[in-house]
Amino acid sequence: MRNSIPETLSSFYRKLLNPKFALSTIVSIALVIRLLPMRFKYLLGYDPYFHLAYIKYALSHGWVNFFPYALGPWGIQIKLFHPLGLWMTPAFIYKLLHPFGLSLYNAFRLAPVIFGVLTVVFIYLAVLRLYGKKEAFLSAFLLAVSFGHVFRSMAGYYRGDNYMLFWYSVALFGIALGLSWRPKKWKFERFTFYLIPGVATGLSAFFWQAYYPIFAFVLANAVFISAGAFLLRKDDKIIDGVMIALSTTLGVLIANSIGEIFGFGMAGYNRGLGKRIAEEFGFNFGFIKDAFLYLYLKYAVSVAIVMVIILLILARFSKNRKTRYIIIGVLVLATSVVTFHYYGQLNNLIKGIFSNAPIVETQRTGLSDLWQAYGLAFLAVPLFVISFRKRRVSDYILLGLAVVTLPMLLIWTRFLFIGSLAIALMSGIGLVEVYELIAPKVNTKKFGVIVLAVLLTLVPATTAYTGVKNTLSVRPFVNDDWARALEYLGNHSNINDIILTWWDEGHWVTYFAERAPVAQGSPSKFVADYYLGKVSEKRLMSLGVDYIIVSLDAVEKFGAILQTAGETGYAMVVLQPVSTPGILTFTAPDYTVMATPGESWDVRVRIGSVWGVPVKVFVEKGKKIQEVPLKERPTLDAYVYMNLNYGYAVLMNKKAFETPLAKLMFTNNYSRDYRLLYSDGGIVKIFRFVHPNVIVTSQNGSVILRFTNPTGTAIGIYGFLDNGTLVYRKWFNVKGKSEFILPEDLNGSVVVRYVYVQKGTVLDRGMFRIGDALRETGTRFRIS
């Protein structure tokens, strides 16, 4: 009976490690965790709303390139953003499963889950071939539960790097098949499996504009396989590195072909980064029309293959292990010298790509980020070194992956996702190695089982705990307040109207309102300057701004607004309510506001350790904002806004109070050029900017541009094909006219941009798709 518990545990672990049971268990766990956000009504984050908006638009209009409800007043050319596969994939899932009742919304939410779980599956299969059952189960489990991987592959959070990591897992599986294959007919039949990483690297170009790391991962795998085989004197495997490196040339050709049809990545010949790289390295685009692919093919692959061929040649003459280590050291030194020679160019390129911005994703990774992403698994990574005692080529594959990915995850927090694969593999294999090293040395079977339980459950358990906990803590940023406000805006504005709001919220405007925001996807200095009062009305009109949104969300991000604008000296802090009988009390670290209502309000403000009376106090309750009289004279440079509808207060200094953001959000004291369109009493407020405006309508099959304040003298019409080619440009005299009928002969234009001017001064600007203008006014597309 004494050994019944250890025997039971041993039996359980044997069953758990059986591939069929192990894989189904891991898939179930990965699915459950990634499906947790399905309980929410809204998507997570900001970017997914843009992607779903375009998919809806494409399913109504076809896979058009020019999308008018983005980046007003210019619109966005989709093929200059991401390859079409990023949006076609959820649409395909929708069309495939719609007959079974799946809506587009849920198909979109499930897409990241599907590919995230498939990544876990292929990682399991790859490690199973390269190592064994224990290593495969533990590595795949850690990846399945790691928040570092979950947070970009969970339901409702749609990002392109999920696809890239999936295709790399397929590539790694192909490499594993090739290395582990035992010849059956002829000696080198395993080389056919190395077509898989070539095809996988190429197909990744269909899904994401920044797919390029997959080429670096696979090439690093190839070089380190050959180097490892050379050091371990397994000379028959050295050539495998050549074949894998050569397979990525097939990937380059596939990616280049995909770019021609579906759009190139961020280094394409028609993208700013691609042009800059070409200029920096002094080459012209030819057959290969992507700067990264060109440089990769010309330099990276060539150097890698030359290095491996050198190892092949030297392996015939050098059999001494010490000599081989010296040779590898010399090659590493030579590579370092070449890298140093091109350091200036590489550094300029890296700065251009990895520049910091005032957003979370582009901040340096800290220890708290590593813990949140990986739990104890990150601390277990060094244990992977123990695996090298077994002298396996497979260890060098993962070493190559780590050399590329681990530095990446320390650059930006967004690369914690890409680094999650290396962390899971290295820590999983390392833990198994520690167990196998310790287990034979224990005296009793019972103690051995305890060692197994501790080593193989502690790290996975803490990683699973942090993964589940952090996934459960994730919440959508958007809510009913925003959805109502933006849908109201969409129903009470024109298809060509331009919206100014903080860039985070821009994607929500595109989705809910189906209107074009001035900024979305990245910080906008123009919007930041506007909120701080540094943008004139002329500049607003020059961008065609028709509506302005102020919100509690923007107030809470006031620090980011200042950072984006490069300004200091402003202070705006949101305070939360504290229960104190008879007194309105709001606090934040180092700040307090206490107010006693009455005919004259008794209001006290604490800033640090100093108490005083503010200059002005505004209170919003119901649908009214009023400035309340104060009992005492002001003693501090402080302005207070209290919102009794939603229970928060805002404390400002004079400089912040005088900004348009504060005037529009907290007072009724704003310019007559602003008309309140919508207010929910404290979360979202929308104002119409009154200026000579162009309204796009249709009548009797013609598109008509109506002028609300016909003070303009001319209008410029620019017609574009869907591929972005300008085919029509003409100015018309509209002095004294209240409307303008769009000419029918626009040389095949499908998209029109207009500029309404008064003697050289731009009064309004915008764009629209002619087909949208000809539709019934006010009709909005809806797909279930």
Side-chain angles (χ1 to χ4, degrees):
M1 293 293 292
R2 287 182 181 175
N3 293 328
S4 60
I5 294 178
E7 288 174 0
T8 301
L9 286 173
S10 297
S11 175
F12 170 75
Y13 279 117
R14 282 196 299 271
K15 290 180 180 179
L16 181 64
L17 295 176
N18 179 281
K20 290 183 180 179
F21 185 77
L23 189 55
S24 61
T25 300
I26 290 169
V27 166
S28 299
I29 293 170
L31 268 174
V32 168
I33 294 175
R34 285 160 179 78
L35 288 173
L36 288 175
M38 287 292 285
R39 70 189 191 278
F40 296 127
K41 178 180 178 180
Y42 296 107
L43 303 176
L44 301 173
Y46 304 98
D47 295 45
Y49 282 99
F50 174 88
H51 301 313
L52 183 54
Y54 175 66
I55 293 170
K56 288 172 59 180
Y57 194 81
L59 290 176
S60 297
H61 295 71
W63 293 100
V64 295
N65 177 49
F66 235 129
F67 185 39
Y69 297 136
L71 295 180
W74 319 110
I76 188 172
Q77 291 189 52
I78 289 297
K79 289 186 179 180
L80 296 180
F81 185 22
H82 286 284
L84 283 177
L86 184 67
W87 301 289
M88 286 181 165
T89 305
F92 174 78
I93 295 171
Y94 163 68
K95 290 193 172 185
L96 182 68
L97 298 178
H98 182 60
F100 302 97
L102 187 69
S103 66
L104 174 63
Y105 190 71
N106 283 331
F108 181 78
R109 292 204 289 175
L110 288 174
V113 176
I114 293 169
F115 284 89
V117 172
L118 285 175
T119 301
V120 175
V121 170
F122 277 102
I123 288 302
Y124 175 85
L125 296 175
V127 179
L128 184 65
R129 299 285 303 201
L130 292 172
Y131 289 91
K133 297 177 183 178
K134 292 191 292 291
E135 293 89 346
F137 179 84
L138 200 52
S139 298
F141 177 83
L142 288 172
L143 186 64
V145 301
S146 168
F147 186 66
H149 187 265
V150 171
F151 88 112
R152 296 180 91 86
S153 61
M154 60 186 171
Y157 193 57
Y158 189 79
R159 304 303 291 267
D161 40 5
N162 190 23
Y163 292 113
M164 189 272 289
L165 212 58
F166 159 73
W167 283 111
Y168 175 69
S169 71
V170 174
L172 187 62
F173 178 60
I175 293 172
L177 286 174
L179 280 179
S180 60
W181 189 260
R182 295 179 183 235
K184 294 182 179 179
K185 292 185 178 180
W186 50 289
K187 186 177 179 181
F188 298 112
E189 64 189 29
R190 71 180 188 277
F191 290 164
T192 57
F193 290 108
Y194 294 144
L195 291 173
I196 295 175
V199 172
T201 53
L203 290 180
S204 66
F206 180 62
F207 297 91
W208 188 39
Q209 66 164 338
Y211 65 92
Y212 307 115
I214 190 174
F215 281 92
F217 299 164
V218 174
L219 191 63
N221 294 154
V223 172
F224 276 78
I225 284 172
S226 295
F230 180 76
L231 291 174
L232 299 174
R233 292 183 290 187
K234 298 181 179 181
D235 296 345
D236 60 318
K237 298 292 187 183
I238 296 177
I239 196 172
D240 290 55
V242 175
M243 303 310 296
I244 295 170
L246 283 174
S247 78
T248 63
T249 64
L250 172 63
V252 168
L253 296 176
I254 294 173
N256 192 61
S257 300
I258 286 173
E260 291 277 12
I261 302 170
F262 299 103
F264 285 95
M266 62 193 299
Y269 77 99
N270 53 355
R271 308 283 290 275
L273 179 61
K275 294 174 183 177
R276 199 173 81 237
I277 293 173
E279 183 179 351
E280 186 74 29
F281 285 86
F283 67 86
N284 296 315
F285 292 103
F287 172 71
I288 302 297
K289 294 183 178 179
D290 184 287
F292 173 87
L293 297 179
Y294 175 87
L295 293 175
Y296 175 82
L297 198 60
K298 183 175 181 179
Y299 297 108
V301 174
S302 302
V303 171
I305 290 176
V306 167
M307 289 177 64
V308 175
I309 290 174
I310 290 173
L311 293 179
L312 276 170
I313 296 171
L314 293 176
R316 298 177 63 87
F317 303 101
S318 174
K319 302 297 182 181
N320 182 274
R321 182 181 299 175
K322 184 177 180 180
T323 303
R324 292 194 174 198
Y325 275 97
I326 293 173
I327 290 170
I328 292 295
V330 171
L331 288 175
V332 170
L333 180 62
T335 303
S336 301
V337 170
V338 172
T339 302
F340 181 78
H341 177 72
Y342 290 102
Y343 176 77
Q345 291 169 302
L346 291 172
N347 190 47
N348 290 338
L349 175 59
I350 291 170
K351 283 183 178 179
I353 298 175
F354 300 124
S355 57
N356 288 334
I359 56 178
V360 174
E361 288 190 346
T362 59
Q363 302 305 303
R364 292 286 183 183
T365 305
L367 290 176
S368 61
D369 300 313
L370 293 172
W371 170 258
Q372 188 177 28
Y374 310 125
L376 283 178
F378 182 75
L379 297 178
V381 167
L383 300 178
F384 176 69
V385 175
I386 302 172
S387 182
F388 285 89
R389 69 192 174 93
K390 291 186 177 179
R391 300 175 56 77
R392 294 175 295 200
V393 174
S394 55
D395 291 330
Y396 289 86
I397 299 175
L398 302 189
L399 183 61
L401 176 65
V403 165
V404 179
T405 58
L406 295 187
M408 287 181 67
L409 69 84
L410 296 176
I411 294 175
W412 276 358
T413 55
R414 75 167 297 168
F415 291 144
L416 289 167
F417 172 75
I418 290 175
S420 63
L421 203 154
I423 298 296
L425 291 172
M426 296 174 77
S427 57
I429 293 165
L431 286 170
V432 173
E433 289 301 317
V434 170
Y435 167 74
E436 292 184 350
L437 192 64
I438 295 176
K441 299 179 182 180
V442 298
N443 297 323
T444 66
K445 190 173 183 180
K446 183 176 181 179
F447 184 68
V449 171
I450 293 173
V451 171
L452 174 66
V454 171
L455 285 176
L456 300 189
T457 59
L458 180 61
V459 172
T462 58
T463 303
Y465 172 76
T466 57
V468 173
K469 178 185 176 184
N470 291 327
T471 305
L472 286 171
S473 68
V474 170
R475 294 286 185 276
F477 295 128
V478 78
N479 52 37
D480 289 343
D481 299 310
W482 274 98
R484 280 194 298 267
L486 295 178
E487 286 174 354
Y488 185 92
L489 173 62
N491 289 322
H492 293 80
S493 59
N494 308 299
I495 64 169
N496 58 305
D497 284 340
I498 308 300
I499 317 301
L500 185 148
T501 190
W502 187 235
W503 68 272
D504 278 340
E505 304 146 7
H507 291 321
W508 299 346
V509 172
T510 296
Y511 178 78
F512 289 106
E514 293 165 9
R515 297 292 178 261
V518 169
Q520 56 193 133
S522 61
S524 167
K525 191 175 187 304
F526 176 84
V527 175
D529 284 344
Y530 170 78
Y531 280 149
L532 297 179
K534 298 185 177 299
V535 171
S536 66
E537 292 185 351
K538 275 191 175 183
R539 288 183 65 195
L540 279 182
M541 291 191 296
S542 72
L543 278 181
V545 174
D546 300 295
Y547 292 91
I548 290 161
I549 298 176
V550 291
S551 64
L552 177 60
D553 182 62
V555 172
E556 291 173 332
K557 294 171 180 173
F558 193 69
I561 292 173
L562 293 178
Q563 189 176 349
T564 303
E567 295 288 341
T568 58
Y570 299 80
M572 184 179 291
V573 182
V574 178
L575 297 86
Q576 299 303 321
V578 175
S579 179
T580 50
I583 303 175
L584 297 172
T585 305
F586 304 87
T587 67
D590 296 323
Y591 303 100
T592 301
V593 171
M594 301 183 73
T596 303
E599 289 188 12
S600 294
W601 285 50
D602 184 11
V603 181
R604 293 288 188 275
V605 170
R606 180 181 65 88
I607 301 175
S609 60
V610 179
W611 285 87
V613 179
V615 179
K616 291 185 178 182
V617 175
F618 292 83
V619 176
E620 182 162 9
K621 184 178 181 181
K623 296 183 179 180
K624 292 183 179 181
I625 301 176
Q626 62 175 343
E627 181 181 352
V628 298
L630 300 177
K631 276 188 175 182
E632 299 184 28
R633 298 170 63 88
T635 60
L636 286 178
D637 175 24
Y639 294 75
V640 176
Y641 163 81
M642 286 181 281
N643 189 290
L644 303 186
N645 295 321
Y646 297 96
Y648 69 88
V650 179
L651 181 62
M652 301 157 276
N653 63 4
K654 182 178 181 181
K655 199 170 181 180
F657 175 73
E658 291 178 345
T659 63
L661 175 61
K663 292 292 185 182
L664 293 174
M665 186 69 188
F666 306 139
T667 79
N668 294 316
N669 303 324
Y670 44 78
S671 167
R672 286 179 294 179
D673 293 328
Y674 295 94
R675 304 278 174 83
L676 183 63
L677 174 75
Y678 176 92
S679 173
D680 56 17
I683 303 297
V684 184
K685 298 180 182 181
I686 304 174
F687 293 84
R688 182 164 65 88
F689 173 52
V690 180
H691 66 110
N693 190 24
V694 177
I695 299 175
V696 175
T697 62
S698 65
Q699 185 175 332
N700 299 326
S702 296
V703 177
I704 301 174
L705 278 61
R706 304 189 189 278
F707 310 129
T708 60
N709 183 0
T711 58
T713 55
I715 191 165
I717 303 296
Y718 298 79
F720 296 84
L721 301 180
D722 192 56
N723 64 8
T725 302
L726 178 66
V727 294
Y728 184 89
R729 180 173 60 186
K730 192 171 181 180
W731 282 85
F732 299 88
N733 184 355
V734 293
K735 186 176 181 179
K737 295 183 178 180
S738 60
E739 64 181 34
F740 172 78
I741 300 176
L742 194 70
E744 294 184 4
D745 182 20
L746 294 174
N747 295 334
S749 301
V750 296
V751 171
V752 167
R753 287 180 184 154
Y754 62 85
V755 185
Y756 185 48
V757 302
Q758 182 188 58
K759 297 180 180 179
T761 298
V762 175
L763 302 178
D764 195 25
R765 193 191 297 269
M767 75 165 299
F768 58 92
R769 181 172 284 273
I770 295 175
D772 291 342
L774 290 173
R775 291 184 175 197
E776 183 180 353
T777 302
T779 299
R780 303 173 67 189
F781 55 88
R782 285 287 180 265
I783 297 174
S784 63

